[in-house]
């Protein structure tokens, strides 16, 4: 009895509505979708029970029949984004290809919803039904991979962290402006930084940097997708095959 009384509850541990009272006018799914649209349009700070009620054309008090607090609403929003990932692909093929594909989906979801990373930073990732499905699917992909269960969980965590990092960079790069002009600007900035670094290295006070730049040659064109995939394909096998338990 004591365990049941002290066990933490989540929004998913309760029925969507009580057995009594009038028939529901909407569902948690509809409320969550409206909250997602609000956050995407105006940012996470704009998501309040009052603002959401106005968006839905109802009173704030009516929303509490479906969601107990703003924190529960945020949990629903985070899990709804996890539900956008396609987990229908069969596991058991090339685990690295499958895991990289999952990471690309996760990164794209964070690009679509840039507020999600800040939400998880502040509150920690809440494992709702869709997030648990994602974790189980990723572990299924890793069944044929080397490594311990602990290493596999760490690898999935690394995957998520890199997805967030690259999504933040992508969101910052695509926030405003014409896409073609933005791409040209980013290429020019990258070229200027590379030239500056080469000039500093050529001064002779940083021999290791000069040797590395000489050996590496000209950097490839900026391609975030290619860099993201390349890092994952290097790091994940190393973590699973050579990392410590």
């Amino acid at each position: 009895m004591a365990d049941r009384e002290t066990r933490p509850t989540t929004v998913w541990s309760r029925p969507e509505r009580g057995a009594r009272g009038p028939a529901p006018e909407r569902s948690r799914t509809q409320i969550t979708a409206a909250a997602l649209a609000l956050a995407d349009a105006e940012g996470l700070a704009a998501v309040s029970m009052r603002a959401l009620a106005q968006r839905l054309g109802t009173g704030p008090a009516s929303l509490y029949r479906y969601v107990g607090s703003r924190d529960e609403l945020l949990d629903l929003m985070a899990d709804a984004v996890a539900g956008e990932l396609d987990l229908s692909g069969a596991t058991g093929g090339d685990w690295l290809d499958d895991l990289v594909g999952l990471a690309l989906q996760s990164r794209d979801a964070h690009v679509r919803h840039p507020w999600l990373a800040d939400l998880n930073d502040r509150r920690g990732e809440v494992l709702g039904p869709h997030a648990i499905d994602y974790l189980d699917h990723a572990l299924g992909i890793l069944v044929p991979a080397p490594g311990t269960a602990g290493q596999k969980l760490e690898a999935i965590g690394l995957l998520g962290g890199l997805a967030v990092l690259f999504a933040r960079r992508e969101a910052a790069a695509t926030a405003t402006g014409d896409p073609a002009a933005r791409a040209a600007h980013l290429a020019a900035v990258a070229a200027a930084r590379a030239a500056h670094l080469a000039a500093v290295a050529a001064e002779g006070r940083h021999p290791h940097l000069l040797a590395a730049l000489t050996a590496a040659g000209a950097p490839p064109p900026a391609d975030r997708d290619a860099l993201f995939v390349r890092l994952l394909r290097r790091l994940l096998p190393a973590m699973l095959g050579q990392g410590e338990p």
Side-chain angles (χ1 to χ4, degrees):
M1 178 69 69
D3 287 344
R4 287 197 297 271
E5 291 174 351
T6 59
R7 185 180 302 151
T9 61
T10 69
V11 64
W12 300 282
S13 65
R14 301 191 310 275
E16 184 158 340
R17 64 179 296 271
R20 299 181 180 179
E25 299 174 355
R26 51 186 56 87
S27 66
R28 279 181 184 164
T29 299
Q30 293 170 326
I31 292 171
T32 303
L36 286 176
L38 180 58
D40 290 344
E42 303 182 34
L44 192 63
V47 179
S48 66
M49 301 299 275
R50 182 176 299 278
L52 182 58
Q54 290 176 348
R55 192 178 187 92
L56 290 168
T58 188
S62 69
L63 297 183
Y64 287 100
R65 295 171 51 201
Y66 307 90
V67 182
S69 65
R70 181 177 184 267
D71 283 348
E72 288 192 351
L73 177 64
L74 297 178
D75 291 345
L76 289 169
M77 292 166 60
D79 196 60
V81 176
E84 295 177 3
L85 275 61
D86 181 8
L87 308 180
S88 61
T91 59
D94 185 310
W95 66 266
L96 186 53
D97 284 346
D98 291 344
L99 204 59
V100 168
L102 194 61
L104 287 167
Q105 284 199 67
S106 178
R107 185 209 56 184
D108 291 346
H110 279 84
V111 170
R112 290 193 301 272
H113 309 289
W115 48 266
L116 179 60
D118 292 335
L119 172 61
N120 290 339
D121 283 348
R122 290 188 330 199
R123 303 188 62 241
E125 187 172 357
V126 177
L127 293 182
H130 289 117
I132 292 172
D133 289 344
Y134 165 85
L135 179 59
D136 186 75
H137 183 75
L139 288 170
I141 288 174
L142 287 173
V143 165
T148 66
Q151 288 173 332
K152 292 178 180 181
L153 288 169
E154 290 172 353
I156 295 169
L158 172 69
L159 178 154
L162 280 177
V164 170
L165 173 63
F166 274 74
R168 280 177 163 156
R169 294 179 63 183
E170 181 73 16
T174 59
T176 59
D178 175 71
R182 214 167 36 238
H185 171 71
L186 290 174
V189 169
R193 288 174 177 171
H196 171 69
L197 191 59
V200 170
E203 293 174 357
R205 294 183 295 110
H206 305 89
H208 302 295
L209 177 60
L210 177 60
L213 292 175
T214 301
D223 185 335
R224 288 189 176 86
D225 280 359
L227 178 59
F228 183 60
V229 170
R230 189 162 64 247
L231 286 176
L232 285 172
R233 296 187 75 87
R234 289 176 180 173
L235 292 173
L236 291 171
M239 287 188 69
L240 295 171
Q242 301 173 11
E244 297 179 359

